[in-house]
Amino acid sequence: SSNTQKNDNEDKDKGPENNNNISHMYSSVSSNSSFTKNEKQKKEEEEKDKEKSVIAYHEAGHTIVAKVIPNMDPVHKVTIMASGRALGYTLQLPLEDKFLTSKTEIEGRLAIFMGGRVAEELVFNEITTGAQNDIARATKIATRMVTEFGMSDKIGTLALEKDSEEVFLGRDISRTQKHSDKTNELIDDEIKAIITKAKDTARKILEENRDKLDNLVKGIIEKETLTGEEVDKIMKGEPLDLKKEELVNVVETEIKQPVPEKPEIKVEPKE
């Protein structure tokens, strides 16, 4: 996912009931085991392709939003190759070191975080656990905007969190111990408003650039990993270069083509 981001995704628990149903279903047609095996393999391949498509759209959602919003860190790479717990990620790298971040830039980053979830909703009318890390990071940043950075009009320029960062049991409820219920409710409302605004921004961008989203997904699925330059080509509507494997095959094909022999020319001696 975005901003040197790797989307965390939990493994799906099919549950014992589903597993039993599957095994029972295949044992009930054991008279044609080869057909059953082929059907099972086909279903697994379909599920794998669908999951790959969901991941590709998720990462493409991050990428499109990152490319459209001005002054965001350039997209260096987008991939659907698993790395650790992440099933894919979008990597952004800054052009230079920065020590200050504006409110506008933070809001842009939050919209990029939301791009993956919005793409899933837009394309599949369904959501997955793939946005877990995006949501957690966005919520943490939005919370700091409200309680530390003074970036909420309703809260104002107040620091409402503890200065210390000690970890101990009950730290997460320290806010309720320190502030009134009314203030806590206002903080929660402001955090939600910031996240909602970011999600709306991502949705507007993806709806307006649906063709680019679809084209980017085609490139991601075809090559699994795209460089920043390849992403730029797709955004401009330019065709991608062939895969390395395809280039090798083309070269090998040319090499293997038989070289036509020159016809032998016989010169008859003059009498």
Side-chain angles (χ1 to χ4, degrees):
S1 295
S2 56
N3 289 340
T4 318
Q5 173 181 355
K6 295 187 178 182
N7 295 334
D8 291 344
N9 196 351
E10 297 177 343
D11 293 335
K12 297 178 181 178
D13 183 6
K14 295 183 179 179
E17 296 85 358
N18 289 337
N19 289 335
N20 289 337
N21 288 339
I22 292 171
S23 62
H24 174 72
M25 178 177 66
Y26 287 112
S27 63
S28 64
V29 289
S30 57
S31 59
N32 192 353
S33 57
S34 60
F35 173 80
T36 300
K37 185 176 180 180
N38 291 336
E39 285 295 307
K40 183 178 179 181
Q41 185 177 5
K42 183 179 179 181
K43 185 176 181 181
E44 289 175 350
E45 289 176 354
E46 289 175 352
E47 288 294 324
K48 187 177 179 180
D49 290 341
K50 181 180 179 181
E51 186 173 83
K52 188 175 183 179
S53 179
V54 171
I55 297 169
Y57 268 103
H58 185 104
E59 297 306 327
H62 290 309
T63 304
I64 294 291
V65 177
K67 295 296 295 182
V68 172
I69 296 180
N71 303 320
M72 293 291 99
D73 291 334
V75 174
H76 182 70
K77 179 172 71 172
V78 55
T79 181
I80 54 173
M81 296 183 68
S83 177
R85 293 182 63 194
L87 298 180
Y89 62 91
T90 301
L91 177 64
Q92 290 177 264
L93 295 177
L95 295 175
E96 57 186 12
D97 293 334
K98 297 179 67 175
F99 301 98
L100 295 175
T101 306
S102 68
K103 180 181 179 181
T104 300
E105 186 177 352
I106 295 176
E107 290 175 336
R109 291 181 182 177
L110 294 178
I112 295 171
F113 278 129
M114 293 295 105
R117 167 57 64 87
V118 172
E120 292 181 21
E121 294 177 348
L122 185 64
V123 176
F124 302 100
N125 195 30
E126 180 62 279
I127 57 177
T128 71
T129 57
Q132 176 191 0
N133 183 252
D134 301 327
I135 295 170
R137 294 173 69 184
T139 303
K140 184 176 181 180
I141 292 173
T143 301
R144 296 191 68 187
M145 289 177 69
V146 174
T147 62
E148 296 181 40
F149 303 148
M151 293 181 175
S152 164
D153 293 334
K154 292 184 179 180
I155 298 295
T157 50
L158 296 176
L160 300 178
E161 285 286 343
K162 286 180 174 290
D163 292 333
S164 60
E165 292 294 330
E166 293 89 354
V167 178
F168 58 89
L169 186 63
R171 180 180 183 276
D172 291 339
I173 61 172
S174 62
R175 192 175 70 197
T176 58
Q177 297 171 343
K178 188 176 180 181
H179 309 300
S180 67
D181 292 340
K182 184 177 180 180
T183 300
N184 288 322
E185 184 177 349
L186 185 58
I187 291 172
D188 291 339
D189 289 343
E190 283 295 270
I191 294 170
K192 184 176 180 181
I194 290 173
I195 298 296
T196 300
K197 180 182 177 182
K199 191 175 180 182
D200 290 343
T201 299
R203 182 175 296 279
K204 184 174 185 294
I205 290 173
L206 293 180
E207 286 178 345
E208 292 176 351
N209 294 273
R210 177 60 191 271
D211 56 335
K212 294 178 181 178
L213 177 67
D214 294 335
N215 290 335
L216 185 58
V217 167
K218 291 177 183 177
I220 294 173
I221 291 178
E222 178 188 351
K223 304 191 73 171
E224 293 191 330
T225 298
L226 296 178
T227 64
E229 291 78 9
E230 289 172 326
V231 171
D232 289 340
K233 282 187 175 183
I234 293 175
M235 294 294 291
K236 295 175 183 178
E238 299 176 2
L240 290 179
D241 297 330
L242 291 173
K243 293 182 180 179
K244 290 182 179 180
E245 298 83 3
E246 293 173 343
L247 289 173
V248 170
N249 290 337
V250 170
V251 173
E252 288 181 347
T253 301
E254 292 178 350
I255 292 175
K256 290 178 181 179
Q257 291 294 331
V259 179
E261 296 180 0
K262 292 183 179 181
E264 185 179 353
I265 301 176
K266 291 183 179 181
V267 179
E268 299 291 337
K270 292 183 180 181
E271 294 181 357

